[in-house]
Amino acid sequence: MNASPEHQRILLDVADLDRRIAQAERARTKPSQAARIAELVAIRQEQLRELTALTGTRDDVRTELTRLESDVKLVEQRRARDADRLATSTNPKDAQALEHEIASLTRRQSDLEDIELDVMGRVEDADAAVAAQQALLATTTAEGTALTAQAKADVQAATDLAAQLARDRDAVTAAVPAPLLAEYTRRASNSAGAALLTRGTCEGCRILLPGTDINDIRNAPDDLVVSCPECGCILVRTDETGP
């Protein structure tokens, strides 16, 4: 294929635009925050499961404390009732029985209050554990929210950039003959499409070409479309090509 050196040089601009469009497309479909956001989603799910377990434990301990408080209250009421009966009792046997029951209730109340103190400590620990887990969850959620917002902004920016680059490409390719553009497009599916030849090196694959290939390219007419023997892209020769 033959094409003017000017038209071949335009392919460098087209290749650069295609490279930037591909970068913008990757940024649009795979924002840099995506991996961390996915990680945070998994972390948050695990933290939620842990929070659910801790909340269940706390609620169980609170229920136990409520039951103990009720038991203590019942014992106190019974002691007070027996004390009132003892104060008005005139029967020695009844009085003795009441005294024994009051002593027993006193011991029972003391035992319950000891248990109550222990459970109150467990409630405090459970509350602290829930609060700490909620704080972890809030931190994870905040990071995820911030990253998601940034990712959306980056995706929108990449979308806008890709659209602008596509318009620029349309303007640039308008000056390229259709056969040459079709040939570039065909090659671009497997290579850079077009690349500068700089001092024996293809800038598309960054490979230094053998001397025999360089000689063939050097001796080729300026309007002949030559290829990189390594990657197959169109090699564009300019003043930067060198000897």
Side-chain angles (χ1 to χ4, degrees):
M1 174 179 285
N2 294 89
S4 71
E6 292 77 12
H7 287 153
Q8 292 186 51
R9 283 194 287 271
I10 293 175
L11 292 181
L12 295 177
D13 295 331
V14 177
D16 180 63
L17 285 167
D18 283 344
R19 177 184 60 80
R20 293 167 63 193
I21 289 171
Q23 289 177 340
E25 181 61 16
R26 285 193 295 273
R28 185 186 71 81
T29 58
K30 297 179 180 179
S32 61
Q33 302 87 351
R36 179 57 179 166
I37 289 173
E39 182 181 1
L40 288 171
V41 168
I43 291 173
R44 189 174 187 277
Q45 289 174 342
E46 182 59 33
Q47 289 176 340
L48 279 171
R49 283 192 289 269
E50 181 64 15
L51 179 60
T52 299
L54 290 171
T55 301
T57 299
R58 182 201 61 186
D59 292 346
D60 289 344
V61 178
R62 284 181 174 179
T63 299
E64 184 179 355
L65 179 60
T66 299
R67 180 182 59 78
L68 282 167
E69 289 172 341
S70 177
D71 289 347
V72 169
K73 186 176 181 179
L74 288 173
V75 171
E76 288 177 339
Q77 290 173 347
R78 187 171 176 181
R79 279 185 61 209
R81 191 165 55 246
D82 286 351
D84 290 342
R85 291 173 59 192
L86 179 61
T88 59
S89 176
T90 58
N91 186 313
K93 288 185 178 181
D94 290 345
Q96 186 178 19
L98 287 169
E99 287 173 352
H100 283 304
E101 185 170 349
I102 290 173
S104 176
L105 290 171
T106 299
R107 289 192 299 271
R108 174 60 176 163
Q109 182 175 345
S110 177
D111 291 342
L112 287 173
E113 288 175 344
D114 288 343
I115 298 173
E116 185 179 21
L117 286 173
D118 178 69
V119 174
M120 288 174 65
R122 288 163 55 197
V123 168
E124 290 180 0
D125 292 343
D127 284 340
V130 169
Q133 190 66 20
Q134 287 173 332
L136 282 177
L137 183 61
T139 298
T140 301
T141 301
E143 183 182 354
T145 299
L147 284 177
T148 299
Q150 185 60 55
K152 288 181 179 179
D154 290 351
V155 166
Q156 186 58 56
T159 300
D160 295 341
L161 176 60
Q164 180 58 55
L165 290 172
R167 290 191 291 270
D168 293 344
R169 187 184 192 279
D170 288 341
V172 170
T173 56
V176 180
L180 179 61
L181 183 60
E183 181 64 16
Y184 161 82
T185 302
R186 182 183 69 80
R187 298 182 186 221
S189 62
N190 297 308
S191 68
L196 183 66
L197 177 64
T198 305
R199 299 192 180 281
T201 298
C202 169
E203 293 298 324
C205 60
R206 303 289 182 178
I207 293 178
L208 179 64
L209 304 183
T212 53
D213 291 327
I214 293 299
N215 288 333
D216 290 342
I217 293 171
R218 183 183 297 119
N219 295 326
D222 290 344
D223 65 348
L224 180 65
V225 175
V226 297
S227 305
C228 171
E230 299 295 335
C231 68
C233 74
I234 295 173
L235 283 176
V236 180
R237 295 161 287 167
T238 69
D239 292 339
E240 299 178 46
T241 296

